[in-house]
């Protein structure tokens, strides 16, 4: 009897060891980036990446640029990391920064941004939200557009859950601003009717094709921007479109964090009447928190 029990115990031990070995083998050969796609949710735990706009002198201090916005998110109990992404060689204090200048095509910046998100988050099964100012919105738009197109040099997929653009020239910058901007490549890319803008299509990129996460877009513009017209800031159909008529200039779209302002929002295809709305930065926070902005 004792020998029978010992043999049974040995068989059980061998089977357990074999099963454990099989599990470890599967884990060892699992391909990189095999983490599952995250689900959409209303959450203040998601990482938010702030992307700056064009810099006339080719450099930004990312901490300074987004100081007010990040402080506001923190004050509103946002728990996810509040990161910054920069794309000029001479930038300072960015969470992540890639090399480049005003002569770097926006598509090339978009490629670097897309691969940054893919390597650090998507391949690890982590989703992110993005709040972009001015040209930064075109960087993000192109990153998603060309990723969905499976363009050369772009990653296979991106897990970007929500994008908010503040004062982004989706249909180009104003004529006077284009003159001031000059002939640098990024300036010509932002001129109305440029080849770069035409290639992006008429809708904000949002697709689950090839394993991408469907992206919810909110575009925000101001009648008093001065750099981007109220129509250009919301050009290209987005899930949600918001306009302010309250004396808010281009830079203030990322610094106005409190108060109420005269504005309107488009639900589906119909605009509301102008009424008192939250500040642009609070609008951005709400937009990356909820499935649908309010």
């Amino acid at each position: 009897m004792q020998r029978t029990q010992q043999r049974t115990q040995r068989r059980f031990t061998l089977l357990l060891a074999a099963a454990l070995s099989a599990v470890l083998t599967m884990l060892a050969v699992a391909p990189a980036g095999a983490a599952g796609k995250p689900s959409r949710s209303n959450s203040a735990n998601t990482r938010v990446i702030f992307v700056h706009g064009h810099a006339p002198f080719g450099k930004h201090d990312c901490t300074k640029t987004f100081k007010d916005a990040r402080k506001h998110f923190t004050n509103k109990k946002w728990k996810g990391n509040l990161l910054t992404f920069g794309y000029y060689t001479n930038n300072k204090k960015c969470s992540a920064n890639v090399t480049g200048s005003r002569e770097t095509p926006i598509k090339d910046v978009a490629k670097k941004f897309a691969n940054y998100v893919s390597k650090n988050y998507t391949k690890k099964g982590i989703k992110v939200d993005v709040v972009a100012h001015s040209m930064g919105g075109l960087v993000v738009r192109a990153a998603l557009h060309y990723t969905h197109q499976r363009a050369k040099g772009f990653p296979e997929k991106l897990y970007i859950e929500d994008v908010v653009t503040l004062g982004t020239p989706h249909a180009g910058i104003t004529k006077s601003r284009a003159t001031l901007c000059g002939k640098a490549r990024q300036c010509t890319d932002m001129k109305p009717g440029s080849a770069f803008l035409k290639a992006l299509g008429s809708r904000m990129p949002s697709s689950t094709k090839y394993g991408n996460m469907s992206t919810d877009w909110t575009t925000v513009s101001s009648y008093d921007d001065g750099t981007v017209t109220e129509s250009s800031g919301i050009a290209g159909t987005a899930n949600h479109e918001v306009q302010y008529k309250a004396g808010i200039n281009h830079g203030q779209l990322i610094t106005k964090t409190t108060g109420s302002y005269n504005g309107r929002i488009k639900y589906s295809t119909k605009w509301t009447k102008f009424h008192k709305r939250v500040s642009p930065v609070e609008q951005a926070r709400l937009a990356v928190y909820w499935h649908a902005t309010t």
Side-chain angles (χ1 to χ4, degrees):
M1 179 67 71
Q2 186 176 4
R3 290 180 179 177
T4 301
Q5 289 176 339
Q6 289 175 340
R7 284 197 296 270
T8 301
Q9 187 174 6
R10 282 197 296 270
R11 291 194 190 102
F12 178 76
T13 302
L14 289 171
L15 287 172
L16 183 61
L20 180 59
S21 177
V23 171
L24 291 174
T25 299
M26 287 189 291
L27 289 174
V29 300
K37 181 168 72 174
S39 59
R40 292 188 57 84
S41 63
N42 298 331
S43 175
N45 296 317
T46 306
R47 291 169 176 81
V48 179
I49 303 174
F50 293 87
V51 184
H52 65 68
H54 172 263
F57 300 103
K59 60 181 179 180
H60 273 289
D61 181 323
C62 289
T63 297
K64 183 177 179 180
T65 299
F66 291 109
K67 177 182 176 181
D68 296 318
R70 295 168 77 193
K71 182 178 180 181
H72 178 73
F73 272 60
T74 299
N75 289 343
K76 289 289 184 176
K77 309 302 182 185
W78 197 272
K79 298 178 182 179
N81 291 338
L82 301 173
L83 310 169
T84 55
F85 177 86
Y87 45 84
Y88 292 126
T89 301
N90 294 324
N91 276 345
K92 298 190 301 181
K93 300 178 181 179
C94 302
S95 303
N97 195 65
V98 295
T99 58
S101 70
R102 295 171 69 239
E103 295 297 339
T104 306
I106 298 177
K107 182 179 178 181
D108 288 354
V109 180
K111 187 185 299 182
K112 293 179 180 181
F113 175 74
N115 283 298
Y116 158 74
V117 173
S118 173
K119 177 182 177 181
N120 292 282
Y121 303 108
T122 301
K123 287 185 176 180
K124 298 176 183 178
I126 300 170
K127 64 184 179 181
V128 298
D129 293 330
V130 179
V131 175
H133 180 240
S134 195
M135 193 186 85
L138 294 179
V139 170
V140 181
R141 181 179 174 187
L144 281 163
H145 172 78
Y146 286 107
T147 294
H148 294 175
Q149 295 291 321
R150 293 215 154 177
K152 183 178 179 181
F154 285 80
E156 292 184 355
K157 58 188 175 183
L158 289 173
Y159 294 159
I160 298 180
E161 184 174 33
D162 300 292
V163 174
V164 181
T165 65
L166 301 165
T168 290
H170 290 294
I173 53 180
T174 63
K175 187 175 182 179
S176 60
R177 183 56 62 178
T179 300
L180 289 172
C181 195
K183 297 182 179 180
R185 177 57 187 270
Q186 291 177 355
C187 297
T188 59
D189 278 350
M190 290 190 288
K191 286 184 177 179
S194 71
F196 167 74
L197 291 175
K198 286 181 178 179
L200 296 181
S202 61
R203 301 186 67 86
M204 295 300 136
S206 177
S207 171
T208 56
K209 193 175 182 181
Y210 304 127
N212 287 284
M213 169 174 271
S214 179
T215 304
D216 188 81
W217 283 80
T218 300
T219 54
V220 181
S221 72
S222 171
Y223 277 75
D224 304 289
D225 186 312
T227 297
V228 179
T229 65
E230 66 276 7
S231 58
S232 179
I234 59 165
T237 306
N239 305 86
H240 323 286
E241 299 172 8
V242 180
Q243 290 184 315
Y244 287 94
K245 191 182 286 187
I248 298 173
N249 65 35
H250 190 64
Q252 290 173 328
L253 284 167
I254 55 170
T255 61
K256 290 287 187 181
T257 60
T258 60
S260 59
Y261 302 86
N262 191 38
R264 65 176 182 170
I265 184 170
K266 181 188 283 187
Y267 290 109
S268 185
T269 59
K270 187 176 180 179
W271 285 101
T272 65
K273 293 181 179 180
F274 279 96
H275 59 285
K276 292 296 183 181
R277 296 195 59 79
V278 297
S279 70
V281 175
E282 173 63 359
Q283 181 71 77
R285 187 190 70 84
L286 292 172
V288 295
Y289 179 86
W290 299 102
H291 276 281
T293 190
T294 56

